[in-house]
Amino acid sequence: MTCRVNGKRFDEEPDPGQCLRTFLRGLGHYGVKKGCDAGDCGACTVWLDGSPVHSCITPAFRADGRQVTTIEGLGSPGNLHPVQRQFRDAPGFQCGFCTAGMIMTSATFTEAQKADLPRALKGNLCRCTGYRAIEDAVNGVAGVAKAAPGKAVGTSVGAPAAEDVVTGRAEFTMDTHLDGMLHLKVLHSPHAHARIVSIDTSAALAVPGVHRVYTWEDVPHRRFSTAIHTDHLVDPDDTYLLDHTVRFVGQRVAVVLADSVGAAEEGCRRVVVEYEVLPAVFDPDEAMAEGAPQLHGPVDPFILDPVHNIVVEIHAHIGDIEAGFAEADVIHEGTYSSPRVQHAHLETHGSIAWMDNGRLNVRTSSQSPSIAKLKLARLFALRPDRLRVFCKRVGGGFGGKQEVISEDLVALATLDTGRPVSFEYTREEEFTSASPRHPMTLTVTLGATADGTLTALQVRNVSNTGAYGNHAGETLHAGGAAVMIYRCPHKKYDAFSVYTNTVPSGALRGYGMTQSAFAVESAMDELARALHLDPLELRRRNIVRPGDPLLALHEGPDDVVFTEDGLATCLDLVDEAMARSAEEPPPGPGWLVGAGVASSLHETAPPTEHLSEAWVTLGDDLVYEVAVGTVEFGEGTSTAHVQIAAHQLGTTPSRIRLVQSDTDRTGFDTGAFASAGLFVAGNAVLRAANAVRDRILECAAAATGEHVVMCSMDDDSVRCGDRRVPLAELVASARARGIRFTAARRAYGSPRSVTSNTQGFRIAVHPVTGEIRILYSVQATDAAVIINPAQVRGQVEGGVAQGIGFALTEHHQVDAHGVMANPNLRNYRIPTYADIPRTEVLLVHSADSVGPLRSKGIAECCINPVAPALANALHDATGVRCRTLPLTPERIYRRLGDSAAVATGPRSSMP
């Protein structure tokens, strides 16, 4: 076959059945991404003779005799195509994994298509941005600004990798090939619970190209947890690399290593496994009952009650809950359920391992290479200095990559064979074997006096951790923060994390708060209506205020700084915005219109120890190198770290070179999760930059005879009184004396501050079909000092978009046998451009932060109030209270059709 790719002729014969995506990547065009292999996401979009196609569903042979253009051929750094420039300047991306496909699609748009973006962009998905930034990019609306020396903080500077992202040159995990690379695939269990009686690998080993087949008998028998935390004791060690007992459909059974992906997949098909099928349990309440199948024996002392499948339980109270209910004039009780939800980051999990001079190297898509290194060293009994773990750019995470679930297998295979090994999840594997959000069922009981003063707040939380306990306890503790938001003398929290024969649950944006916020904020709305109070007013009367103890699970002291009333300001701003939007017309006659609000409070770092180390060095080229272990996957910490360093060093972002997420080149970093990438790592960068700045000023003062207080940084020089000393002179002088301008500093996740936010929606509901249309969306967020306004706005918009998916469309559906029924993007249904309204983002500038330069991380918390605000708006519009997510048209239609469910007025209990 002969074709021209980006103007260059190739005479290559594709493999039988090969798609154009893998063919082009085989030629080295890594800007063509894999997001689905089903034509659903558009990340693989290229042009055939100038027309955009999804290359994952286009046979490679169709390129014969044709011109193929990939993102690399559209433009290059320094010579951008106009649409690439627009995406850079908007900025129209966060993680950047979808960006090449977005640009290749939108660069062909006519004016008519630009006027109908819901239709024109229906084939391209983005999980990060919320689509507003993409719309701006397509329409040429710029949001990036340049910063003057020392003035980077508060300016919407562009991401350091922006030009590489928009030209397809930014390297993601799988964007490389090593000579002699082998490919790894996994055989997954078809049963929810079974004991492996025997495994016959002979037929698999006979497949041409297959080198190894690993079973539970071939791997180290060391228990571990896949969850990533600094303190490994918070997670039960209940997992093996491969096990002789499988506990969910999709669990690893065998691993095949071959010359090609196809050979490895064929090897998996030929492995013969004999199972003894065991009783399974899928409901956590049933799993806790007497006589339920037991998933784990006493494998770890941190598993609380293996007989009743309870990993962790929490029983905490403040005051006397019964006395609190006795004081109440009105008591409301309701049970609220949130489903299993997938991250759907467009880059699937993947890792590549190889040996170099006797050292194991692992290149991975992880939110914490430092902790991944520790786990691999323990699993394979490796000295830490014989192991390197690092990340390139990561294509989305949202907590899903706060696990070690691909790194261990490539390490196993490379240590065994000595050859490079690659393992990349399919989209189906993401749904069936990666870790989704915990399904939770919460019963909330509230008591209040007639004037709306809360007297009692009780929550019972049953969390389905799935087959293994990764993140079981930490999400349960995090959910307790939902009782922290309101001032109440009597509180009680009982919570259980329970094993079931379903895919293990894990970390997802909001981390236990999303589910509990849905329950508590829905219950508060119902209580307000029972009291005949405005729901916003009920919140105002009861929210915690500065000076109040932040009582969640105990009365003891904590490390949280809370000195300003950011939450009250958020409520006021949303109230005013909702009043301005009151005249938004419904889509047509017959639609029911309603409004709803909800709030959330979120700590800016996790309560367990979080550590980050940063190194700052002024080089001979007068560029400051900032080395920090935090990973960039769209949360914008790379840009923020550059801005913080530039601000403190009195220079511009262009003179900061960032080195990150590499255990050989950076210090330890717990990981980019729980907003700690800004809050903790940002403080480490700040301290290291300050230390280098102070050393430079001292040297300049000594050289000029001025007092150090008279010296200040001035881009590429230092001003000392009336003199201006070039940095080049100071570096040369210092070098001659053996002095280097370099410093390392650490920061810890304590003390912490609190981020608060309020979400408001105005919606229309069709009474016949149950369809919801969002007329207006607003979120106010206490962001404190804002490092980068465009990025803050983008994080809120992206969080709201994910929250809308969580509330309205997304549901990881499992059948009666534990099999996921919708393991693909098409049927799982994350929001598209057409589903997401523009969200008005209102920023509160408080000062009660101990973050870098008094900033706060806000990417985590912005999702929490979205679902309850939508549920409250639905009730306001229809009188129907839905306590189970998602709020699908079918579910709403059934509730609207149930005459007993339709409220004739405010009521405090619904069936």
Side-chain angles (χ1 to χ4, degrees), residues 31 56 279 358 538 541 627 715 754 791 839 895:
C56 70
L538 180 65
R541 294 182 187 184
D715 199 13
V754 173
Q791 285 193 166
T839 292
R895 299 284 286 128

Side-chain angles (χ1 to χ4, degrees), residues 711-770:
C711 300
S712 62
M713 304 297 294
D714 186 16
D715 199 13
D716 60 354
S717 63
V718 178
R719 285 196 177 274
C720 292
D722 296 331
R723 293 184 57 184
R724 191 170 184 270
V725 184
L727 279 179
E729 289 183 14
L730 290 173
V731 170
S733 174
R735 190 191 314 115
R737 291 177 289 152
I739 297 173
R740 295 179 65 219
F741 294 126
T742 185
R745 292 292 185 272
R746 293 178 180 176
Y748 297 86
S750 181
R752 301 172 292 153
S753 52
V754 173
T755 298
S756 51
N757 51 2
T758 299
Q759 174 70 42
F761 284 110
R762 189 172 304 282
I763 67 170
V765 185
H766 198 286
V768 175
T769 65

Side-chain angles (χ1 to χ4, degrees), residues 523-643:
M524 283 292 288
D525 201 78
E526 294 191 67
L527 177 65
R529 295 177 189 281
L531 290 165
H532 302 282
L533 285 175
D534 176 81
L536 263 173
E537 181 58 31
L538 180 65
R539 288 174 171 83
R540 283 195 183 96
R541 294 182 187 184
N542 291 284
I543 57 172
V544 292
R545 304 278 184 170
D548 292 339
L550 287 171
L551 297 178
L553 304 183
H554 59 82
E555 293 190 58
D558 56 40
D559 62 348
V560 177
V561 176
F562 177 58
T563 60
E564 291 199 6
D565 208 353
L567 180 55
T569 306
C570 288
L571 286 166
D572 291 342
L573 289 175
V574 168
D575 193 12
E576 294 166 7
M578 295 290 285
R580 291 195 304 269
S581 72
E583 300 306 317
E584 187 74 28
W591 288 76
L592 306 174
V593 176
V597 297
S599 293
S600 176
L601 208 63
H602 201 102
E603 294 153 348
T604 53
T608 50
E609 182 181 351
H610 207 106
L611 166 66
S612 184
E613 183 175 6
W615 307 336
V616 174
T617 302
L618 176 59
D620 292 345
D621 58 358
L622 304 186
V623 171
Y624 296 93
E625 182 174 279
V626 175
V628 62
T630 301
V631 179
E632 175 61 62
F633 54 93
E635 77 282 28
T637 53
S638 294
T639 316
H641 292 163
V642 167
Q643 289 180 260

Side-chain angles (χ1 to χ4, degrees), residues 193-257:
H193 199 190
R195 186 174 295 111
I196 296 172
V197 177
S198 65
I199 302 180
D200 183 353
T201 63
S202 56
L205 288 166
V207 173
V210 170
H211 291 259
R212 297 281 196 280
V213 179
Y214 302 103
T215 71
W216 68 273
E217 297 178 298
D218 306 309
V219 302
H221 282 204
R222 292 187 182 92
R223 290 193 300 267
F224 73 110
S225 171
T226 62
I228 283 175
H229 292 108
T230 299
D231 182 1
H232 69 93
L233 297 178
V234 301
D235 308 304
D237 290 333
D238 57 4
T239 305
Y240 288 108
L241 270 76
L242 295 170
D243 203 344
H244 56 73
T245 300
V246 292
R247 297 176 176 86
F248 69 97
V249 175
Q251 183 168 330
R252 305 168 176 177
V253 173
V255 174
V256 177
L257 195 62

Side-chain angles (χ1 to χ4, degrees), residues 776-808:
Y776 177 67
S777 169
V778 60
Q779 184 171 126
T781 296
D782 174 12
V785 173
I786 297 167
I787 304 293
N788 188 305
Q791 285 193 166
V792 169
R793 178 184 174 191
Q795 288 298 315
V796 173
E797 290 168 339
V800 173
Q802 282 191 335
I804 289 171
F806 171 57
L808 300 185

Side-chain angles (χ1 to χ4, degrees), residues 172-173 228 347 364-372 389-397 401 612 628-639 641 658-663 666-667 669-673 676-678 681:
F172 290 81
T173 309
I228 283 175
E347 180 200 44
T364 182
S365 180
S366 171
Q367 290 177 232
S368 177
S370 293
I371 305 279
V389 179
F390 70 101
C391 301
K392 292 294 188 177
R393 195 172 182 90
V394 174
K401 294 171 181 174
S612 184
V628 62
T630 301
V631 179
E632 175 61 62
F633 54 93
E635 77 282 28
T637 53
S638 294
T639 316
H641 292 163
L658 194 64
V659 176
Q660 60 189 141
S661 54
D662 186 332
T663 61
T666 62
D669 188 276
T670 297
F673 52 86
L678 174 68

